[in-house]
Amino acid sequence: MSTLAHTMMTARTADTGLSAQGELDRYAYGEARPAGRIGAPSWDNGDAELGRVGRRAAGSRGRGLHGQLVQQLGQMIVSGDLGSDRPLVPEEIGQRFEVSRTVVRESLRVLEAKGLVSARPNVGTRVRPVSDWNLLDPDIIEWRAFGPQREDQRRELAELRWTIEPLAARLAAGHGREDIQQRLADMVEIMGHALTQGDSITFSRADAEFHSLLIQLAGNRMLEHLSGIVSSALQVSGSPVTGCDRPSEGSLAHHGRIVDALANGDPIAAETAVRQLLTVHPEVERVVPAPREH
């Protein structure tokens, strides 16, 4: 076993940063306001809900006031509490959340970079329509996946994985990177150990690392740029812990087949093994046909 594998096996759960079982719906969202209602946001009706979101955001993320406000406003926008073209008045936001103008200004800049809001002279800051959002942004993926749009977001992520990962596996089989192939084998070993120990968090960490390495091994920089989508999908999938359904012998066996196919330089077998693995996943199973044996 490599040093990396041993380190991951013995790493503390608190350092993972992944959701523990039962935390799938950890973000609270209010009911979306009517789409036709335009005007200044009403903070009063949502006080109790906003407070609950704020406490959860602060508790689940080690962020300062700036990060917490980005989280809260982002969730409200994605959930529909702050509808499209709705004006956001910095002074009202600062008073409502008891933060300084600087914190509000920097938070709105972050949201603007994500495509959620736009700021224009003489117009102010307004929420932008969904078509303008950066839907590949990890935060937006998370906010959608744990909000009212959760089913759509998870389905869309599953469809993207079905496109990205089989291709990555086929390309990876043509690269003789023994160092990365060894790390992939290490991840399978870690997952097997975690499975016997009932350690879902370590299984999940090794699983995420496995899929990231697979895309890296493909040797395609554009695919590698999309690896964050796969990482996000693993964290927000239907299972609270891992993106390959729940840890199981079947899931472990599929990962092992991928490693074997790569070691043998067999692109067809590698692609088929990935498709078989993804079909185990509940979201993927609903949107793609079962893979054919080659």
Side-chain angles (χ1 to χ4, degrees), residues 234-254:
L234 289 168
Q235 294 193 44
V236 303
S237 61
S239 170
V241 180
T242 175
C244 295
D245 200 18
R246 297 184 183 276
S248 66
E249 292 288 350
S251 173
L252 183 64
H254 287 311

Side-chain angles (χ1 to χ4, degrees), residues 8-19:
M8 288 191 68
M9 282 185 182
T10 57
R12 296 181 60 180
T13 298
D15 295 332
T16 66
L18 296 176
S19 306

Side-chain angles (χ1 to χ4, degrees), residues 1-10 182-183 185-194 196 202:
M1 182 189 304
S2 70
T3 302
L4 173 64
H6 181 268
T7 299
M8 288 191 68
M9 282 185 182
T10 57
Q182 180 57 53
R183 291 177 66 188
D186 286 342
M187 294 306 108
V188 175
E189 185 175 357
I190 292 167
M191 293 165 70
H193 179 79
T196 61
T202 298

Side-chain angles (χ1 to χ4, degrees), residues 92 178 190 203:
E92 292 183 4
E178 294 184 2
I190 292 167
F203 188 101

